[in-house]
Amino acid sequence: MLGEGQYEIADQHLDRLNKLDSALQSAADAGSEAAFAFALAALLGAVRTLGTPLLDERITPSDLVLPDEGSSLRQVRELLSDEGLIPGR
């Protein structure tokens, strides 16, 4: 996550994260600021809960970069692809 560090996510949690990513995509498509903020907080919370933070000294290539919680709907729309923030769903 931007400004927060890296997390390692076990494959078993990817379906959960993909569902949250889909909800974020839907909220962004609808243009609902409230639904967007809720969906972004849920996705980031799941990464924090399900993921294992990597030590700051250990920098590895990332499969994806998530925005921080203070990101606006407009900013995140620029990051979204047809697959959402998480590719391969």
Side-chain angles (χ1 to χ4, degrees), residues 54-74:
L54 299 179
L55 298 173
D56 289 339
E57 298 81 33
R58 182 175 169 216
I59 298 174
T60 62
S62 294
D63 292 332
L64 64 124
V65 176
L66 297 177
D68 62 37
E69 261 177 290
S71 298
S72 70
L73 175 56
R74 181 187 55 75

Side-chain angles (χ1 to χ4, degrees), residues 37-86:
F38 181 81
L40 180 58
L43 177 60
L44 297 176
V47 169
R48 291 180 190 117
T49 302
L50 301 172
T52 303
L54 299 179
L55 298 173
D56 289 339
E57 298 81 33
R58 182 175 169 216
I59 298 174
T60 62
S62 294
D63 292 332
L64 64 124
V65 176
L66 297 177
D68 62 37
E69 261 177 290
S71 298
S72 70
L73 175 56
R74 181 187 55 75
Q75 291 169 320
V76 173
R77 277 185 171 158
E78 293 173 5
L79 297 173
L80 290 170
S81 70
D82 291 339
E83 296 184 342
L85 290 172
I86 302 173

Side-chain angles (χ1 to χ4, degrees), residues 12-62:
Q12 70 195 39
H13 301 302
L14 294 180
D15 284 343
R16 171 85 175 122
L17 294 179
N18 282 326
K19 287 178 185 171
L20 292 169
D21 185 43
S22 292
L24 181 70
Q25 179 78 50
S26 294
D29 289 346
S32 170
E33 290 283 348
F36 163 77
F38 181 81
L40 180 58
L43 177 60
L44 297 176
V47 169
R48 291 180 190 117
T49 302
L50 301 172
T52 303
L54 299 179
L55 298 173
D56 289 339
E57 298 81 33
R58 182 175 169 216
I59 298 174
T60 62
S62 294

